[in-house]
């Protein structure tokens, strides 16, 4: 099926925003510009007074954690995890995981996200099913806590997830291995994860250097910072690594990231809310390290709104470095789109360009936040909010048009998610 988005402002890879047409055939962009006489679309989307961007890529989240939104707030990370989050998660069933994920799918489609990288607990196959049902692109990993008695079983569950879902849904589902963090996965255990993942040519998704306490405990226990000893396990030797947070880094840590091509998922909202610190994003970008954006889970953010993360990334680093050009608007947008695609290991998303996947988000410009239209990228990053999202395509399929959902039953999802949350938080 061919689709034409006509007469739309489109954010191009160089940051320019021409008024143009986007030509789609099946799941890919086949042209941007004039419509040739031999292009006969089955569907035409009127892009007048709309801005098209690549669909947002949420490079680090925990989708089913939507069920714990507003449940445990204003706490330090380890207290938050140990006293509130992990006990509630221990009650979760497969049904909870599915409906929590569906609530996340609903929120992501409504706010213009087309790809998400998720690490969570058991029943990750339910997250895969939710992504398939919603029509989104998912990069999934089974969160593996090696210090737990059933750590080996968790590795096998990740293997099963990979075997059953990697490449599923016309390639929309990718599976990584998800060792949770250095403080929950000892060195010998990470060696097993590395060996297993590399035997399947699978990538790694791991939390790294999120808090000062994590660094201090590692120095006390191993005499080394986490990046150093994790590198020695061989975990970074495989196909690729997505490292969430990367807040507390020194020169040696950054050198390791460069050596192994490690991509960072920056989570400004979650890091601010949990008071984890400020990642050295301008330095990482200067060093040529890929830095993407993620929301983290909805229990520590508390939403999955990627436009908000784009705004926070641009604003936070300005004030932190006293430099108003530390992260310019277009760079922040790239972190939420193009760099996100690279970070999650999906090579052909994140750009409005011929040959790339037709993952596209349209913003309605008919509101006060978009007036006057001096600079549309600036308006998107600093002025607009995600309520302007009115049309979303993923893999060439329309998931929402003019605010009308095409793949999701919003009323059912909200009912089921509340029902599931009721038994978790009592």
């Amino acid at each position: 099926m061919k689709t034409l988005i006509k007469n739309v402002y489109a954010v191009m890879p160089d940051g320019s925003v021409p008024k143009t047409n986007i030509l789609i055939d099946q799941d890919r962009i086949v042209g941007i510009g004039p419509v040739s006489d031999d292009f006969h679309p089955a569907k035409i989307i009127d892009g007048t007074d709309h801005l098209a961007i690549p669909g947002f890529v949420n490079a680090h989240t925990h989708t089913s954690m939507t069920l714990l939104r507003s449940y445990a707030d204003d706490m330090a990370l380890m207290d938050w995890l140990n006293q509130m989050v992990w006990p509630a998660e221990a009650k979760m069933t497969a049904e909870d995981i599915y409906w929590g994920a569906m609530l996340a799918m609903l929120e992501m489609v409504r706010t213009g996200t087309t790809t998400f990288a998720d690490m969570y607990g058991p029943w990750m196959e339910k997250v895969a099913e939710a992504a398939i049902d919603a029509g989104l692109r998912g990069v999934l990993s089974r969160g593996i806590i090696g210090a737990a008695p059933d750590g080996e079983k968790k590795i096998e569950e990740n293997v099963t997830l990979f075997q059953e879902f990697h490449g599923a849904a016309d390639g929309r589902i990718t599976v990584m291995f998800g060792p949770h963090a250095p403080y929950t996965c000892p060195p010998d255990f990470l060696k097993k994860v590395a060996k297993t993942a590399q035997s399947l040519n699978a990538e790694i998704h791991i939390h790294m250097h999120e808090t000062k306490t994590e660094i201090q405990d590692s120095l006390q226990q191993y005499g080394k910072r986490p990046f150093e000893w994790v590198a020695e396990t061989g975990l970074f030797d495989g196909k690729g690594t997505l490292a969430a947070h990367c807040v507390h880094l020194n020169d040696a840590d950054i050198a390791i990231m460069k050596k192994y091509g490690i991509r960072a998922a920056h989570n400004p909202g979650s890091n601010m809310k949990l008071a984890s610190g400020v990642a050295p994003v301008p330095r990482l970008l200067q060093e040529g390290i890929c830095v993407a954006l993620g929301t983290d889970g909805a229990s520590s953010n508390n939403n999955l709104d990627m436009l908000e993360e784009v705004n926070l990334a641009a604003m936070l680093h300005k004030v932190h470095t006293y430099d108003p050009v530390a992260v310019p608007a277009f760079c922040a947008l790239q972190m939420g789109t193009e760099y996100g695609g690279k970070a999650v290991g999906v090579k052909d998303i994140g750009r409005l360009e011929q040959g790339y996947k037709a993952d596209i988000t349209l913003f309605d410009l008919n509101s006060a936040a978009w007036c006057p239209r001096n600079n549309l990228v600036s308006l998107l990053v600093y002025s607009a909010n995600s309520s302007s999202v009115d049309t979303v395509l993923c893999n060439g399929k329309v998931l929402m048009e003019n605010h009308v959902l095409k793949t999701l039953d919003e009323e059912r999802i909200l009912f089921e998610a509340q029902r599931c949350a009721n038994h978790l938080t009592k």
Side-chain angles (χ1 to χ4, degrees):
M1 174 175 163
K2 294 180 179 178
T3 301
L4 172 65
I5 304 174
K6 68 175 186 178
N7 198 36
V8 69
Y9 293 104
V11 179
M12 305 304 288
D14 63 358
S16 63
V17 191
K19 183 180 284 188
T20 187
N21 306 291
I22 303 174
L23 290 68
I24 300 165
D25 191 354
Q26 302 296 326
D27 62 342
R28 293 190 182 271
I29 297 170
V30 295
I32 296 179
V35 182
S36 61
D37 292 338
D38 61 353
F39 186 82
H40 303 292
K43 180 175 181 59
I44 298 176
I45 297 172
D46 185 1
T48 303
D49 286 331
H50 282 71
L51 176 69
I53 69 165
F56 287 123
V57 179
N58 188 340
H60 178 70
T61 191
H62 313 286
T63 55
S64 298
M65 200 179 256
T66 51
L67 297 182
L68 302 181
R69 193 196 319 262
S70 78
Y71 168 62
D73 292 324
D74 303 327
M75 299 178 70
L77 174 62
M78 295 316 297
D79 291 339
W80 175 79
L81 284 171
N82 288 307
Q83 297 173 22
M84 302 293 287
V85 171
W86 284 342
E89 288 177 340
K91 301 178 186 178
M92 285 187 175
T93 66
E95 185 181 31
D96 296 329
I97 295 296
Y98 177 79
W99 287 112
M102 286 298 279
L103 179 59
M105 305 301 141
L106 170 63
E107 186 174 0
M108 288 190 286
V109 171
R110 283 281 188 208
T111 55
T113 290
T114 53
T115 299
F116 67 99
D118 187 10
M119 177 203 294
Y120 213 47
W123 302 297
M124 280 300 294
E125 69 275 8
K126 294 298 182 182
V127 180
E129 292 171 9
I132 292 169
D133 291 346
L136 287 173
R137 196 178 302 282
V139 181
L140 312 180
S141 54
R142 200 282 187 226
I144 304 169
I145 296 181
D150 61 347
E152 301 276 350
K153 180 174 177 285
K154 290 178 170 64
I155 295 178
E156 290 306 312
E157 289 175 357
N158 209 144
V159 170
T160 301
L161 183 71
F162 185 93
Q163 292 172 337
E164 293 183 356
F165 287 99
H166 186 66
D170 297 321
R172 283 192 288 112
I173 305 300
T174 304
V175 177
M176 292 182 171
F177 274 66
H180 173 259
Y183 60 86
T184 56
C185 294
D188 287 345
F189 186 82
L190 284 184
K191 291 178 182 177
K192 295 177 182 177
V193 175
K195 182 178 179 180
T196 305
Q198 289 162 23
S199 72
L200 295 169
N201 198 31
E203 300 198 21
I204 299 293
H205 185 176
I206 185 172
H207 299 81
M208 292 294 301
H209 289 229
E210 185 173 0
T211 66
K212 286 183 178 179
T213 301
E214 177 185 340
I215 311 298
Q216 293 164 352
D217 289 350
S218 177
L219 288 169
Q220 184 175 357
Q221 186 172 4
Y222 301 111
K224 299 175 181 179
R225 294 168 65 87
F227 259 116
E228 182 180 0
W229 70 257
V230 172
E232 293 170 356
T233 69
L235 191 75
F236 301 147
D237 292 336
K239 184 179 179 182
T241 301
L242 170 62
H245 300 297
C246 299
V247 175
H248 301 282
L249 303 174
N250 64 15
D251 289 346
D253 300 325
I254 293 172
I256 290 170
M257 293 182 73
K258 291 181 68 174
K259 176 181 177 181
Y260 292 98
I262 295 168
R263 299 97 61 177
H266 176 41
N267 300 263
S270 179
N271 291 161
M272 292 167 72
K273 183 166 177 280
L274 290 171
S276 298
V278 181
V281 167
R283 166 80 185 278
L284 293 177
L285 292 170
Q286 289 167 7
E287 295 282 354
I289 292 170
C290 177
V291 183
L293 294 176
T295 59
D296 212 348
S299 184
S300 65
N301 184 290
N302 286 8
N303 62 48
L304 305 179
D305 186 341
M306 278 296 295
L307 181 56
E308 185 174 286
E309 298 305 312
V310 169
N311 173 267
L312 289 174
M315 302 286 274
L316 172 63
H317 300 287
K318 289 172 169 53
V319 70
H320 186 246
T321 61
Y322 298 97
D323 180 0
V325 296
V327 177
F330 181 58
C331 178
L333 181 58
Q334 286 178 299
M335 289 166 65
T337 54
E338 179 180 353
Y339 301 167
K342 293 177 181 177
V344 302
V346 182
K347 309 277 186 219
D348 50 0
I349 63 171
R351 291 163 69 101
L352 296 184
E353 184 172 283
Q354 183 176 347
Y356 274 67
K357 291 286 190 179
D359 294 6
I360 301 169
T361 292
L362 300 184
F363 290 82
D364 183 351
L365 305 182
N366 292 299
S367 67
W370 293 95
C371 183
R373 297 176 190 172
N374 293 315
N375 183 318
L376 289 175
V377 171
S378 175
L379 288 169
L380 174 66
V381 175
Y382 297 126
S383 177
N385 60 60
S386 59
S387 66
S388 296
V389 173
D390 79 351
T391 299
V392 176
L393 295 83
C394 182
N395 220 40
K397 181 179 180 180
V398 177
L399 307 186
M400 182 172 73
E401 186 174 7
N402 297 325
H403 297 286
V404 178
L405 296 163
K406 302 296 186 180
T407 61
L408 297 170
D409 182 341
E410 185 166 19
E411 184 178 3
R412 171 82 187 278
I413 291 168
L414 295 176
F415 173 83
E416 298 290 359
Q418 184 63 60
R419 180 180 61 81
C420 291
N422 287 343
H423 88 90
L424 295 177
T425 57
K426 287 181 179 178

